[in-house]
Amino acid sequence: MRIGLLTEGGYPYVSGDARLWCDRLVRGLGQHEFDIYALSRSERQEDEGWIQLPPQVSRVRTAPLWMAEDDGVVYGRRARRRFAEAYGELAAAVCEGPGSGAAAVDAGSSGDAGAVRGSASSGGAGVGAVGVSGGVEADRFGSALYELAELARDEGGLIGALRSEGAVRALERACRAPGALRTARAARVPDLLAVAAHFERALRPLSLDWYEGDGLDSVDLCHATAGGTAALPGLLARHFSGVPLLVTEYGVPLRAHYLASASVGDAPAARALLAAFHGRLTSEVYRAAALITPGNTHARRWQERCGADRAKLRTVYPGMEASRFAEVGEGAEASGCADPDTLVWVGRIEPAKDLISLLHSFAEIRKEEPKTRLRIVGAPADGPAGATYLAHCKALAAQLFPDEAEGVHAVGDNPVSFEEIGGPEVPGLPEAYASGAVIVLSSVVEGFPISLVEAMFCGRATVSTDVGAVVEVIGGTGLVVPPRNPRALAEACVALLRAPERRERLGAAARARALELFTVEQNIAAFHGIYLEIVSHSPERRVLVDEAGEPLPFGVPAEAHVPGRWTEARLMPTGRPHWAAGSPVRATVPVPAGEGA
């Protein structure tokens, strides 16, 4: 089948989100044809180029989200009226009524945003506090969104209109209307300009020429690698051409937006409006998707609280390459580790990883086990904040653990070391995990803990904080303690340092669990089955022809002509039958028995 893979800020670019799992998915499903539709996030990302693509990628189409030149489209009176009505409806759906965080975002914008962060760090149980669109508001938002898309298709673009003064005025009217969010009614002109600019950026995919003329209208399935803006092209392909949409979220964009908005300096009115917009968009994506594949139960809980139909959800764990850790994992039982008194932490150094609590915990550990050492392996997060946090951690380590020497003539040595992958002592990730007896994860916010799975592949015992999907991943093969509790973390580490046989049993169980659930092979097999499931329930809308160009008998299943769940009746503005919208395509060449398995 032909898959339209929709990405934002990642694959096929060298850097960005979801690059690795998308590449593994495409390479693992060589029997299918992939068209890549990628939205880039920065000029730097585009300059870095693409990774080498496999032959099953037939085309790549890209568009920048970080900039958009004015399309030069001049609307006539009728088009201006259409835009004012549609954009006004969109703004009204965002501004009024409960849902999409209406009540809670009102409160969160005034200072309760920390509750959102707290709920995420404790497993997402508090997501209900930020709610989503109700039925009426969701229908209103979706109708307005598709009307804007049809206007962009009819007129050749939407960029200039979204940047116009009329858009800002429509947003202002919606904010001042009776029943609008309390914080939205307080929006000032700078707030309205900032929100309108954000809307324009998020809605740029509406103006793309991806939806007709052998574009997304010709694929069998759209697979969005994230929700939100990344899934917008899939929404429009479904709206214009009836193409089914699959949405995969290994992190929930709406959750990420809530957490990010709680830490930026935007005015409360702007935060409330942007949270409501993203909530409405998320609700529409979940409503339109044929299936939704969260990467873990933590993400699944967020999706359910954000309006996803439970019947559409299929959990598919991320696929990770186990072979690179095979030597360490298979040799763990026979050779042990390089130093039985060493704890290892691996990851990106940033405040969410809570290395401060880890260092205080290590101080408690040293009181019980004076020979213990701590290796912190990783690079700081991008930007000055990451470097500042690393410097703070190093200063705290120097304060807590002055350089120690065995005698007056010996050189002092700090029991805490900060290292990066690629150095002489840690040439790669396997060597980092192999160097310690216990792997520690101290995060206060975590989605799917990749470093924890890597440690499991290596057959290492682990001590982790109970955040995100940690409990789901570890499944009883490691110790789990509450976050922000240095004493509990220290007690768990000491317990494993003093019990080598227990460490060995837990490590072996962890490796077996990881090989069963988190490999690339299980991920590819799951998506292959999901692709077949979706397409088998979606009617073929194109005219199939044989090699001679004649219509292929029985090329379209009889169920495709039966109203109901097989088809969706709606008025087409072009006035022509939906099944005749695309050009004829060749029938699939039969595959000899045994080759397609």
Side-chain angles (χ1 to χ4, degrees), residues 216-252:
L216 285 173
D217 59 318
S218 63
V219 302
D220 298 300
L221 167 70
C222 283
H223 184 177
T225 59
T229 303
L232 256 181
L235 284 181
L236 302 191
R238 179 184 180 273
H239 176 72
F240 289 132
S241 306
V243 178
L245 173 63
L246 168 65
V247 177
T248 295
E249 290 185 324
Y250 286 130
V252 183

PDB file of all heavy atoms in Angstrom, residues 216-252:
ATOM      1  N   LEU A 216      -1.610  13.914  -1.337  1.00  0.00           N
ATOM      2  CA  LEU A 216      -2.174  13.081  -0.289  1.00  0.00           C
ATOM      3  C   LEU A 216      -3.497  12.455  -0.696  1.00  0.00           C
ATOM      4  O   LEU A 216      -3.938  11.485  -0.067  1.00  0.00           O
ATOM      5  CB  LEU A 216      -2.362  13.909   0.990  1.00  0.00           C
ATOM      6  CG  LEU A 216      -1.077  14.223   1.774  1.00  0.00           C
ATOM      7  CD1 LEU A 216      -1.360  15.190   2.912  1.00  0.00           C
ATOM      8  CD2 LEU A 216      -0.450  12.947   2.308  1.00  0.00           C
ATOM      9  N   ASP A 217      -4.123  12.987  -1.743  1.00  0.00           N
ATOM     10  CA  ASP A 217      -5.364  12.381  -2.214  1.00  0.00           C
ATOM     11  C   ASP A 217      -5.139  11.011  -2.846  1.00  0.00           C
ATOM     12  O   ASP A 217      -6.096  10.243  -3.023  1.00  0.00           O
ATOM     13  CB  ASP A 217      -6.047  13.302  -3.224  1.00  0.00           C
ATOM     14  CG  ASP A 217      -5.151  13.594  -4.424  1.00  0.00           C
ATOM     15  OD1 ASP A 217      -3.949  13.825  -4.222  1.00  0.00           O
ATOM     16  OD2 ASP A 217      -5.654  13.583  -5.557  1.00  0.00           O
ATOM     17  N   SER A 218      -3.891  10.688  -3.177  1.00  0.00           N
ATOM     18  CA  SER A 218      -3.607   9.429  -3.874  1.00  0.00           C
ATOM     19  C   SER A 218      -3.028   8.352  -2.969  1.00  0.00           C
ATOM     20  O   SER A 218      -2.729   7.251  -3.430  1.00  0.00           O
ATOM     21  CB  SER A 218      -2.632   9.682  -5.028  1.00  0.00           C
ATOM     22  OG  SER A 218      -1.382  10.144  -4.550  1.00  0.00           O
ATOM     23  N   VAL A 219      -2.835   8.637  -1.669  1.00  0.00           N
ATOM     24  CA  VAL A 219      -2.285   7.619  -0.773  1.00  0.00           C
ATOM     25  C   VAL A 219      -3.426   6.776  -0.208  1.00  0.00           C
ATOM     26  O   VAL A 219      -4.595   7.168  -0.219  1.00  0.00           O
ATOM     27  CB  VAL A 219      -1.466   8.260   0.372  1.00  0.00           C
ATOM     28  CG1 VAL A 219      -0.336   9.108  -0.181  1.00  0.00           C
ATOM     29  CG2 VAL A 219      -2.349   9.088   1.296  1.00  0.00           C
ATOM     30  N   ASP A 220      -3.070   5.606   0.293  1.00  0.00           N
ATOM     31  CA  ASP A 220      -4.066   4.724   0.901  1.00  0.00           C
ATOM     32  C   ASP A 220      -4.307   5.053   2.370  1.00  0.00           C
ATOM     33  O   ASP A 220      -5.365   4.741   2.913  1.00  0.00           O
ATOM     34  CB  ASP A 220      -3.612   3.265   0.778  1.00  0.00           C
ATOM     35  CG  ASP A 220      -3.472   2.834  -0.666  1.00  0.00           C
ATOM     36  OD1 ASP A 220      -4.464   2.889  -1.399  1.00  0.00           O
ATOM     37  OD2 ASP A 220      -2.347   2.450  -1.060  1.00  0.00           O
ATOM     38  N   LEU A 221      -3.314   5.675   2.992  1.00  0.00           N
ATOM     39  CA  LEU A 221      -3.393   5.928   4.432  1.00  0.00           C
ATOM     40  C   LEU A 221      -2.450   7.061   4.786  1.00  0.00           C
ATOM     41  O   LEU A 221      -1.317   7.107   4.302  1.00  0.00           O
ATOM     42  CB  LEU A 221      -3.001   4.660   5.204  1.00  0.00           C
ATOM     43  CG  LEU A 221      -2.723   4.774   6.697  1.00  0.00           C
ATOM     44  CD1 LEU A 221      -4.013   5.054   7.453  1.00  0.00           C
ATOM     45  CD2 LEU A 221      -2.080   3.494   7.237  1.00  0.00           C
ATOM     46  N   CYS A 222      -2.902   7.986   5.626  1.00  0.00           N
ATOM     47  CA  CYS A 222      -2.035   9.018   6.188  1.00  0.00           C
ATOM     48  C   CYS A 222      -1.640   8.595   7.605  1.00  0.00           C
ATOM     49  O   CYS A 222      -2.507   8.274   8.422  1.00  0.00           O
ATOM     50  CB  CYS A 222      -2.754  10.363   6.236  1.00  0.00           C
ATOM     51  SG  CYS A 222      -2.870  11.220   4.663  1.00  0.00           S
ATOM     52  N   HIS A 223      -0.344   8.600   7.870  1.00  0.00           N
ATOM     53  CA  HIS A 223       0.165   8.258   9.192  1.00  0.00           C
ATOM     54  C   HIS A 223       0.871   9.479   9.761  1.00  0.00           C
ATOM     55  O   HIS A 223       1.977   9.828   9.328  1.00  0.00           O
ATOM     56  CB  HIS A 223       1.136   7.072   9.109  1.00  0.00           C
ATOM     57  CG  HIS A 223       1.617   6.600  10.445  1.00  0.00           C
ATOM     58  ND1 HIS A 223       2.448   5.504  10.596  1.00  0.00           N
ATOM     59  CD2 HIS A 223       1.389   7.066  11.707  1.00  0.00           C
ATOM     60  CE1 HIS A 223       2.714   5.334  11.883  1.00  0.00           C
ATOM     61  NE2 HIS A 223       2.090   6.271  12.569  1.00  0.00           N
ATOM     62  N   ALA A 224       0.230  10.164  10.706  1.00  0.00           N
ATOM     63  CA  ALA A 224       0.811  11.338  11.358  1.00  0.00           C
ATOM     64  C   ALA A 224       1.659  10.873  12.535  1.00  0.00           C
ATOM     65  O   ALA A 224       1.189  10.112  13.391  1.00  0.00           O
ATOM     66  CB  ALA A 224      -0.278  12.283  11.825  1.00  0.00           C
ATOM     67  N   THR A 225       2.905  11.346  12.585  1.00  0.00           N
ATOM     68  CA  THR A 225       3.818  10.912  13.638  1.00  0.00           C
ATOM     69  C   THR A 225       3.652  11.713  14.921  1.00  0.00           C
ATOM     70  O   THR A 225       4.400  11.522  15.870  1.00  0.00           O
ATOM     71  CB  THR A 225       5.273  11.018  13.153  1.00  0.00           C
ATOM     72  OG1 THR A 225       5.552  12.380  12.786  1.00  0.00           O
ATOM     73  CG2 THR A 225       5.496  10.122  11.944  1.00  0.00           C
ATOM     74  N   ALA A 226       2.685  12.613  14.949  1.00  0.00           N
ATOM     75  CA  ALA A 226       2.339  13.379  16.149  1.00  0.00           C
ATOM     76  C   ALA A 226       0.970  13.985  15.911  1.00  0.00           C
ATOM     77  O   ALA A 226       0.478  14.023  14.785  1.00  0.00           O
ATOM     78  CB  ALA A 226       3.375  14.464  16.441  1.00  0.00           C
ATOM     79  N   GLY A 227       0.352  14.453  16.987  1.00  0.00           N
ATOM     80  CA  GLY A 227      -0.901  15.163  16.837  1.00  0.00           C
ATOM     81  C   GLY A 227      -0.653  16.629  16.551  1.00  0.00           C
ATOM     82  O   GLY A 227       0.432  17.035  16.157  1.00  0.00           O
ATOM     83  N   GLY A 228      -1.658  17.457  16.746  1.00  0.00           N
ATOM     84  CA  GLY A 228      -1.497  18.883  16.558  1.00  0.00           C
ATOM     85  C   GLY A 228      -1.250  19.254  15.111  1.00  0.00           C
ATOM     86  O   GLY A 228      -1.842  18.700  14.181  1.00  0.00           O
ATOM     87  N   THR A 229      -0.330  20.190  14.902  1.00  0.00           N
ATOM     88  CA  THR A 229      -0.056  20.709  13.565  1.00  0.00           C
ATOM     89  C   THR A 229       0.429  19.628  12.617  1.00  0.00           C
ATOM     90  O   THR A 229       0.119  19.651  11.426  1.00  0.00           O
ATOM     91  CB  THR A 229       0.991  21.838  13.654  1.00  0.00           C
ATOM     92  OG1 THR A 229       0.506  22.865  14.531  1.00  0.00           O
ATOM     93  CG2 THR A 229       1.244  22.455  12.291  1.00  0.00           C
ATOM     94  N   ALA A 230       1.183  18.649  13.118  1.00  0.00           N
ATOM     95  CA  ALA A 230       1.694  17.584  12.252  1.00  0.00           C
ATOM     96  C   ALA A 230       0.565  16.793  11.617  1.00  0.00           C
ATOM     97  O   ALA A 230       0.714  16.278  10.496  1.00  0.00           O
ATOM     98  CB  ALA A 230       2.596  16.645  13.055  1.00  0.00           C
ATOM     99  N   ALA A 231      -0.567  16.690  12.306  1.00  0.00           N
ATOM    100  CA  ALA A 231      -1.688  15.904  11.785  1.00  0.00           C
ATOM    101  C   ALA A 231      -2.630  16.716  10.905  1.00  0.00           C
ATOM    102  O   ALA A 231      -3.531  16.138  10.294  1.00  0.00           O
ATOM    103  CB  ALA A 231      -2.471  15.300  12.947  1.00  0.00           C
ATOM    104  N   LEU A 232      -2.437  18.037  10.818  1.00  0.00           N
ATOM    105  CA  LEU A 232      -3.337  18.872  10.010  1.00  0.00           C
ATOM    106  C   LEU A 232      -3.426  18.421   8.552  1.00  0.00           C
ATOM    107  O   LEU A 232      -4.529  18.341   7.997  1.00  0.00           O
ATOM    108  CB  LEU A 232      -2.898  20.336  10.088  1.00  0.00           C
ATOM    109  CG  LEU A 232      -3.726  21.256  10.989  1.00  0.00           C
ATOM    110  CD1 LEU A 232      -3.179  22.675  10.943  1.00  0.00           C
ATOM    111  CD2 LEU A 232      -5.192  21.241  10.603  1.00  0.00           C
ATOM    112  N   PRO A 233      -2.306  18.133   7.868  1.00  0.00           N
ATOM    113  CA  PRO A 233      -2.429  17.637   6.492  1.00  0.00           C
ATOM    114  C   PRO A 233      -3.263  16.363   6.404  1.00  0.00           C
ATOM    115  O   PRO A 233      -3.997  16.163   5.428  1.00  0.00           O
ATOM    116  CB  PRO A 233      -0.974  17.392   6.077  1.00  0.00           C
ATOM    117  CG  PRO A 233      -0.177  18.334   6.909  1.00  0.00           C
ATOM    118  CD  PRO A 233      -0.888  18.361   8.226  1.00  0.00           C
ATOM    119  N   GLY A 234      -3.167  15.501   7.407  1.00  0.00           N
ATOM    120  CA  GLY A 234      -3.975  14.293   7.413  1.00  0.00           C
ATOM    121  C   GLY A 234      -5.453  14.599   7.585  1.00  0.00           C
ATOM    122  O   GLY A 234      -6.312  13.947   6.968  1.00  0.00           O
ATOM    123  N   LEU A 235      -5.777  15.600   8.410  1.00  0.00           N
ATOM    124  CA  LEU A 235      -7.171  16.017   8.559  1.00  0.00           C
ATOM    125  C   LEU A 235      -7.740  16.486   7.225  1.00  0.00           C
ATOM    126  O   LEU A 235      -8.877  16.147   6.856  1.00  0.00           O
ATOM    127  CB  LEU A 235      -7.281  17.146   9.587  1.00  0.00           C
ATOM    128  CG  LEU A 235      -7.183  16.803  11.064  1.00  0.00           C
ATOM    129  CD1 LEU A 235      -7.345  18.062  11.906  1.00  0.00           C
ATOM    130  CD2 LEU A 235      -8.230  15.786  11.455  1.00  0.00           C
ATOM    131  N   LEU A 236      -6.953  17.268   6.490  1.00  0.00           N
ATOM    132  CA  LEU A 236      -7.449  17.808   5.220  1.00  0.00           C
ATOM    133  C   LEU A 236      -7.535  16.733   4.149  1.00  0.00           C
ATOM    134  O   LEU A 236      -8.443  16.747   3.316  1.00  0.00           O
ATOM    135  CB  LEU A 236      -6.541  18.951   4.757  1.00  0.00           C
ATOM    136  CG  LEU A 236      -6.406  20.120   5.733  1.00  0.00           C
ATOM    137  CD1 LEU A 236      -5.705  21.297   5.069  1.00  0.00           C
ATOM    138  CD2 LEU A 236      -7.756  20.554   6.280  1.00  0.00           C
ATOM    139  N   ALA A 237      -6.587  15.774   4.150  1.00  0.00           N
ATOM    140  CA  ALA A 237      -6.675  14.664   3.198  1.00  0.00           C
ATOM    141  C   ALA A 237      -7.925  13.836   3.461  1.00  0.00           C
ATOM    142  O   ALA A 237      -8.594  13.373   2.530  1.00  0.00           O
ATOM    143  CB  ALA A 237      -5.427  13.784   3.292  1.00  0.00           C
ATOM    144  N   ARG A 238      -8.265  13.670   4.716  1.00  0.00           N
ATOM    145  CA  ARG A 238      -9.497  12.955   5.047  1.00  0.00           C
ATOM    146  C   ARG A 238     -10.711  13.754   4.621  1.00  0.00           C
ATOM    147  O   ARG A 238     -11.684  13.211   4.089  1.00  0.00           O
ATOM    148  CB  ARG A 238      -9.539  12.690   6.557  1.00  0.00           C
ATOM    149  CG  ARG A 238     -10.798  11.970   7.021  1.00  0.00           C
ATOM    150  CD  ARG A 238     -10.798  11.828   8.542  1.00  0.00           C
ATOM    151  NE  ARG A 238     -11.987  11.137   9.007  1.00  0.00           N
ATOM    152  CZ  ARG A 238     -13.150  11.736   9.275  1.00  0.00           C
ATOM    153  NH1 ARG A 238     -13.266  13.051   9.082  1.00  0.00           N
ATOM    154  NH2 ARG A 238     -14.188  11.045   9.708  1.00  0.00           N
ATOM    155  N   HIS A 239     -10.672  15.063   4.852  1.00  0.00           N
ATOM    156  CA  HIS A 239     -11.817  15.915   4.521  1.00  0.00           C
ATOM    157  C   HIS A 239     -12.041  15.998   3.015  1.00  0.00           C
ATOM    158  O   HIS A 239     -13.173  15.877   2.538  1.00  0.00           O
ATOM    159  CB  HIS A 239     -11.588  17.315   5.086  1.00  0.00           C
ATOM    160  CG  HIS A 239     -12.653  18.302   4.724  1.00  0.00           C
ATOM    161  ND1 HIS A 239     -13.922  18.264   5.267  1.00  0.00           N
ATOM    162  CD2 HIS A 239     -12.646  19.361   3.857  1.00  0.00           C
ATOM    163  CE1 HIS A 239     -14.648  19.252   4.756  1.00  0.00           C
ATOM    164  NE2 HIS A 239     -13.900  19.925   3.908  1.00  0.00           N
ATOM    165  N   PHE A 240     -10.970  16.203   2.256  1.00  0.00           N
ATOM    166  CA  PHE A 240     -11.101  16.397   0.812  1.00  0.00           C
ATOM    167  C   PHE A 240     -11.246  15.080   0.053  1.00  0.00           C
ATOM    168  O   PHE A 240     -11.974  15.012  -0.935  1.00  0.00           O
ATOM    169  CB  PHE A 240      -9.886  17.153   0.266  1.00  0.00           C
ATOM    170  CG  PHE A 240      -9.835  18.604   0.659  1.00  0.00           C
ATOM    171  CD1 PHE A 240      -8.668  19.161   1.168  1.00  0.00           C
ATOM    172  CD2 PHE A 240     -10.953  19.414   0.534  1.00  0.00           C
ATOM    173  CE1 PHE A 240      -8.620  20.493   1.532  1.00  0.00           C
ATOM    174  CE2 PHE A 240     -10.908  20.747   0.908  1.00  0.00           C
ATOM    175  CZ  PHE A 240      -9.744  21.298   1.407  1.00  0.00           C
ATOM    176  N   SER A 241     -10.548  14.036   0.501  1.00  0.00           N
ATOM    177  CA  SER A 241     -10.457  12.810  -0.306  1.00  0.00           C
ATOM    178  C   SER A 241     -10.840  11.535   0.435  1.00  0.00           C
ATOM    179  O   SER A 241     -10.750  10.450  -0.134  1.00  0.00           O
ATOM    180  CB  SER A 241      -9.030  12.650  -0.860  1.00  0.00           C
ATOM    181  OG  SER A 241      -8.634  13.810  -1.570  1.00  0.00           O
ATOM    182  N   GLY A 242     -11.235  11.629   1.684  1.00  0.00           N
ATOM    183  CA  GLY A 242     -11.638  10.440   2.415  1.00  0.00           C
ATOM    184  C   GLY A 242     -10.510   9.505   2.785  1.00  0.00           C
ATOM    185  O   GLY A 242     -10.748   8.326   3.062  1.00  0.00           O
ATOM    186  N   VAL A 243      -9.269  10.005   2.812  1.00  0.00           N
ATOM    187  CA  VAL A 243      -8.118   9.164   3.159  1.00  0.00           C
ATOM    188  C   VAL A 243      -8.117   8.918   4.668  1.00  0.00           C
ATOM    189  O   VAL A 243      -8.169   9.869   5.451  1.00  0.00           O
ATOM    190  CB  VAL A 243      -6.798   9.836   2.728  1.00  0.00           C
ATOM    191  CG1 VAL A 243      -5.600   8.972   3.126  1.00  0.00           C
ATOM    192  CG2 VAL A 243      -6.798  10.103   1.239  1.00  0.00           C
ATOM    193  N   PRO A 244      -8.045   7.674   5.137  1.00  0.00           N
ATOM    194  CA  PRO A 244      -8.049   7.410   6.578  1.00  0.00           C
ATOM    195  C   PRO A 244      -6.775   7.928   7.241  1.00  0.00           C
ATOM    196  O   PRO A 244      -5.707   7.976   6.626  1.00  0.00           O
ATOM    197  CB  PRO A 244      -8.151   5.887   6.670  1.00  0.00           C
ATOM    198  CG  PRO A 244      -7.621   5.383   5.363  1.00  0.00           C
ATOM    199  CD  PRO A 244      -7.995   6.424   4.343  1.00  0.00           C
ATOM    200  N   LEU A 245      -6.905   8.301   8.513  1.00  0.00           N
ATOM    201  CA  LEU A 245      -5.810   8.916   9.257  1.00  0.00           C
ATOM    202  C   LEU A 245      -5.451   8.068  10.470  1.00  0.00           C
ATOM    203  O   LEU A 245      -6.312   7.698  11.267  1.00  0.00           O
ATOM    204  CB  LEU A 245      -6.219  10.325   9.710  1.00  0.00           C
ATOM    205  CG  LEU A 245      -5.256  11.071  10.652  1.00  0.00           C
ATOM    206  CD1 LEU A 245      -3.911  11.317   9.978  1.00  0.00           C
ATOM    207  CD2 LEU A 245      -5.887  12.375  11.127  1.00  0.00           C
ATOM    208  N   LEU A 246      -4.158   7.771  10.609  1.00  0.00           N
ATOM    209  CA  LEU A 246      -3.592   7.124  11.787  1.00  0.00           C
ATOM    210  C   LEU A 246      -2.707   8.138  12.498  1.00  0.00           C
ATOM    211  O   LEU A 246      -1.876   8.794  11.868  1.00  0.00           O
ATOM    212  CB  LEU A 246      -2.766   5.896  11.385  1.00  0.00           C
ATOM    213  CG  LEU A 246      -1.879   5.262  12.466  1.00  0.00           C
ATOM    214  CD1 LEU A 246      -2.728   4.680  13.592  1.00  0.00           C
ATOM    215  CD2 LEU A 246      -0.974   4.185  11.865  1.00  0.00           C
ATOM    216  N   VAL A 247      -2.888   8.278  13.810  1.00  0.00           N
ATOM    217  CA  VAL A 247      -2.108   9.242  14.595  1.00  0.00           C
ATOM    218  C   VAL A 247      -1.299   8.488  15.642  1.00  0.00           C
ATOM    219  O   VAL A 247      -1.856   7.724  16.440  1.00  0.00           O
ATOM    220  CB  VAL A 247      -3.021  10.272  15.284  1.00  0.00           C
ATOM    221  CG1 VAL A 247      -2.195  11.221  16.153  1.00  0.00           C
ATOM    222  CG2 VAL A 247      -3.813  11.064  14.253  1.00  0.00           C
ATOM    223  N   THR A 248       0.021   8.686  15.620  1.00  0.00           N
ATOM    224  CA  THR A 248       0.916   8.096  16.618  1.00  0.00           C
ATOM    225  C   THR A 248       1.475   9.196  17.498  1.00  0.00           C
ATOM    226  O   THR A 248       1.964  10.209  16.996  1.00  0.00           O
ATOM    227  CB  THR A 248       2.065   7.344  15.940  1.00  0.00           C
ATOM    228  OG1 THR A 248       1.541   6.228  15.220  1.00  0.00           O
ATOM    229  CG2 THR A 248       3.067   6.832  16.965  1.00  0.00           C
ATOM    230  N   GLU A 249       1.387   9.011  18.801  1.00  0.00           N
ATOM    231  CA  GLU A 249       1.939   9.991  19.740  1.00  0.00           C
ATOM    232  C   GLU A 249       2.767   9.269  20.795  1.00  0.00           C
ATOM    233  O   GLU A 249       2.231   8.581  21.657  1.00  0.00           O
ATOM    234  CB  GLU A 249       0.815  10.785  20.411  1.00  0.00           C
ATOM    235  CG  GLU A 249       0.100  11.745  19.477  1.00  0.00           C
ATOM    236  CD  GLU A 249      -0.924  12.604  20.184  1.00  0.00           C
ATOM    237  OE1 GLU A 249      -1.581  12.094  21.124  1.00  0.00           O
ATOM    238  OE2 GLU A 249      -1.081  13.767  19.801  1.00  0.00           O
ATOM    239  N   TYR A 250       4.085   9.422  20.698  1.00  0.00           N
ATOM    240  CA  TYR A 250       4.955   8.902  21.750  1.00  0.00           C
ATOM    241  C   TYR A 250       5.129   9.925  22.863  1.00  0.00           C
ATOM    242  O   TYR A 250       5.546   9.601  23.968  1.00  0.00           O
ATOM    243  CB  TYR A 250       6.295   8.478  21.155  1.00  0.00           C
ATOM    244  CG  TYR A 250       6.179   7.181  20.382  1.00  0.00           C
ATOM    245  CD1 TYR A 250       6.674   7.053  19.099  1.00  0.00           C
ATOM    246  CD2 TYR A 250       5.531   6.088  20.943  1.00  0.00           C
ATOM    247  CE1 TYR A 250       6.542   5.864  18.397  1.00  0.00           C
ATOM    248  CE2 TYR A 250       5.388   4.903  20.252  1.00  0.00           C
ATOM    249  CZ  TYR A 250       5.900   4.792  18.984  1.00  0.00           C
ATOM    250  OH  TYR A 250       5.759   3.619  18.294  1.00  0.00           O
ATOM    251  N   GLY A 251       4.845  11.164  22.550  1.00  0.00           N
ATOM    252  CA  GLY A 251       4.668  12.207  23.545  1.00  0.00           C
ATOM    253  C   GLY A 251       3.397  12.921  23.130  1.00  0.00           C
ATOM    254  O   GLY A 251       3.077  12.978  21.950  1.00  0.00           O
ATOM    255  N   VAL A 252       2.633  13.448  24.063  1.00  0.00           N
ATOM    256  CA  VAL A 252       1.371  14.092  23.715  1.00  0.00           C
ATOM    257  C   VAL A 252       1.622  15.585  23.516  1.00  0.00           C
ATOM    258  O   VAL A 252       1.978  16.282  24.472  1.00  0.00           O
ATOM    259  CB  VAL A 252       0.319  13.861  24.816  1.00  0.00           C
ATOM    260  CG1 VAL A 252      -1.017  14.478  24.428  1.00  0.00           C
ATOM    261  CG2 VAL A 252       0.153  12.370  25.071  1.00  0.00           C
TER     262      VAL A 252
END
